[in-house]
Amino acid sequence: MTRPHTPHPRSRPPSRTRTLLLATLTTTLTATTAAIALTTPAYAAGPTATFTKTSDWGTGWEGKYTITNPGPTTITTWTLTLDLPTGTTIGTYWDTQLTTTGTHHTFTNRTYNGTLTPGTSTSFGFNATGPGTPTNCTINNQPCAGGTTPTTPPATTPPPTTPPPTTPPPTTPPPTSPPPNTGLPKHFLTGYWHNFVNPAVELRLRDVPNDYDLVAVAFAEATGTPGAVAFGVDAGLSAALGGYTDADFRADVQTLHARGKKVILSVGGEAGRVAVNDATSATNFSNTMAGLIQQYGFDGVDIDLENGLNPTYMAQALRSLRGRIGSGLIITMAPQTIDMQSPSASYFKLALDIRDILTVVHTQYYNSGSMLGCDQSFAYSQGTVNFLTALACLQLEAGLRPDQVALGLPAGPGAAGGGVVAPSLVNQALDCLARATNCGSFRPPRTYPGIRGAMTWSVNWDVSNGNTFARTVKPHLATLP
């Protein structure tokens, strides 16, 4: 987010006269082979793969394979194959590449998880629609459980006799688990509120327009204690508003609650320096954030650390915080576009690691330049419907539920240095993702009716520009499936 004063990325049978000779030869060869088998050294153990069905919702399920290297040498690449019965299909997958021929599926490592030193493991997962479970599993051409290659031939499906339909694309499978009950609408609009002074109009929290369902207060700040955060009404903002106190702010949080709105505290921003890099700082973050939630009445936390984060310890901190506050805690994230280009990136990894408690990711689709989309074949220019849909597809196809993905855009002129779009283009992108209409040249591989909504930086900039973003996008969210 822009901080104050800062402008803005695949023989014929033998004749009877040969039968006796062949039988004799066979007997001899069998004995010889047995003798050879006794003296041939055992092959080094290859990788094994263990399947777990981590969730099942009746019409579909989530599966996970854990690949382990039990041998004495390092493995630098792996390929896992399996078959699923007709009627069971794979949708979203993560931490792997997938090719499918009929009912036969081939998973290969990504660049970041192909190497397994002796005794180490990695895993990948996928969502499937249908009741079937995997069979004929092989890992690097050997049975997944170890031993010899299975004798059951892979299931095959004859080629279609008619071309596949071009519309509509398949719809994403149901969520792997119900979203947390946070009280937010199925599709909602988020806006950031400035706790500072910049060229945008200053607002008391209670003056946030009613179009916004979730208000993210920007920002909580670092303290002298690693991981700890603090918040209070900015003195400059208070002066600009003719006097605005912490007590006024707390009352305004309750006013928004009375209107059915949610208010969360955002941590970081472009200049934020909050660092959660070890167990102690994770505890400090959880402790101080819990205190601020209780003190001011916040409904959750937003992670907007644009200067990097440690996914392991931030996940630890957020799980600790949720344990303190409860299952209704709203947890959002606002990564920059570059942070969500690969599941191996720290921000993306954090989102995947906490997807069981994560509310939504509002990726900032601005100040980005050109970026690759989920087709990995073209760098799409920011400020276009192709950019929004192709980059959102990255998250939707790599493990996040549609209800955990939203589009973050600037509210209008002044709010960002690049990627400012007409709000109608945001609606166009939402239509493309939700129902495969109004797409540009990029068309997602499936539809995502549960796409969560949109975010804007910021409420203040939107009000400065006539509240056009909220007034255009908010009504359109009600039309989504």
Side-chain angles (χ1 to χ4, degrees), residues 6-374:
T6 304
H8 273 21
R10 255 223 25 192
S11 52
R12 200 170 56 183
S15 65
R16 290 189 61 191
T17 59
R18 298 165 56 196
T19 301
L20 181 59
L21 177 58
L22 287 171
T24 302
L25 287 171
T26 299
T27 300
T28 303
L29 288 170
T30 300
T32 303
T33 302
I36 293 172
L38 289 172
T39 59
T40 302
Y43 288 104
T48 62
T50 303
F51 173 73
T52 306
K53 185 180 286 188
T54 57
S55 183
D56 194 321
W57 53 88
T59 59
W61 43 272
E62 179 181 316
K64 174 183 177 181
Y65 272 95
T66 300
I67 300 171
T68 302
N69 178 12
T73 58
T74 296
I75 296 167
T76 58
T77 185
W78 50 262
T79 298
L80 185 147
T81 68
L82 59 85
D83 297 301
L84 289 172
T86 301
T88 299
T89 58
I90 293 177
T92 303
Y93 54 91
W94 51 93
D95 296 330
T96 187
Q97 301 283 1
L98 172 64
T99 57
T100 295
T101 304
T103 58
H104 190 65
H105 306 275
T106 301
F107 299 88
T108 55
N109 62 271
R110 289 186 177 268
T111 56
Y112 58 85
N113 62 357
T115 299
L116 294 176
T117 57
T120 61
S121 299
T122 190
S123 64
F124 70 88
F126 57 88
N127 292 336
T129 300
T133 54
T135 59
N136 300 319
C137 178
T138 71
I139 178 74
N140 287 2
N141 298 315
Q142 294 298 320
C144 286
T148 58
T149 304
T151 57
T152 306
T156 58
T157 299
T161 56
T162 57
T166 56
T167 58
T171 297
T172 46
T176 60
S177 59
N181 183 15
T182 58
L184 288 165
K186 180 179 180 181
H187 306 290
F188 65 85
L189 178 63
T190 300
Y192 283 78
W193 174 85
H194 297 183
N195 182 38
F196 50 78
V197 174
N198 76 349
V201 65
E202 293 85 20
L203 296 170
R204 290 172 173 81
L205 188 65
R206 64 178 177 266
D207 293 329
V208 170
N210 202 48
D211 304 286
Y212 291 94
D213 304 291
L214 177 64
V215 180
V217 172
F219 297 97
E221 303 286 355
T223 72
T225 302
V229 293
F231 174 79
V233 173
D234 177 72
L237 176 65
S238 177
L241 293 174
Y244 189 53
T245 67
D246 278 9
D248 295 328
F249 178 86
R250 286 195 297 270
D252 284 357
V253 172
Q254 295 308 312
T255 296
L256 265 62
H257 284 165
R259 298 174 187 167
K261 311 303 179 180
K262 300 293 183 180
V263 184
I264 60 176
L265 181 56
S266 182
V267 178
E270 185 271 335
R273 292 297 183 268
V274 177
V276 179
N277 294 324
D278 54 36
T280 299
S281 57
T283 298
N284 292 338
F285 181 93
S286 175
N287 289 343
T288 54
M289 182 57 68
L292 293 172
I293 288 173
Q294 293 163 359
Q295 179 181 355
Y296 290 96
F298 293 118
D299 300 288
V301 60
D302 172 65
I303 305 302
D304 184 17
L305 297 173
E306 299 180 16
N307 295 284
L309 56 77
N310 183 308
T312 299
Y313 291 109
M314 182 54 77
Q316 179 179 314
L318 292 172
R319 290 190 182 279
S320 172
L321 180 62
R322 190 174 188 267
R324 293 168 179 267
I325 304 301
S327 60
L329 180 72
I330 296 171
I331 301 176
T332 70
M333 296 167 58
Q336 299 172 101
T337 312
I338 190 66
D339 295 324
M340 301 299 286
Q341 280 280 285
S342 167
S344 64
S346 60
Y347 239 114
F348 209 146
K349 186 177 188 307
L350 174 62
L352 294 173
D353 287 348
I354 65 167
R355 60 179 178 262
D356 57 316
I357 63 172
L358 175 67
T359 306
V360 68
V361 176
H362 298 116
T363 302
Q364 302 176 40
Y365 292 120
Y366 50 93
N367 294 332
S368 306
S370 297
M371 292 280 173
L372 288 171
C374 65

Side-chain angles (χ1 to χ4, degrees), residues 394-408:
L394 277 169
Q395 299 169 50
L396 293 161
E397 291 296 311
L400 292 181
R401 301 189 309 260
D403 67 271
Q404 294 176 315
V405 177
L407 310 180

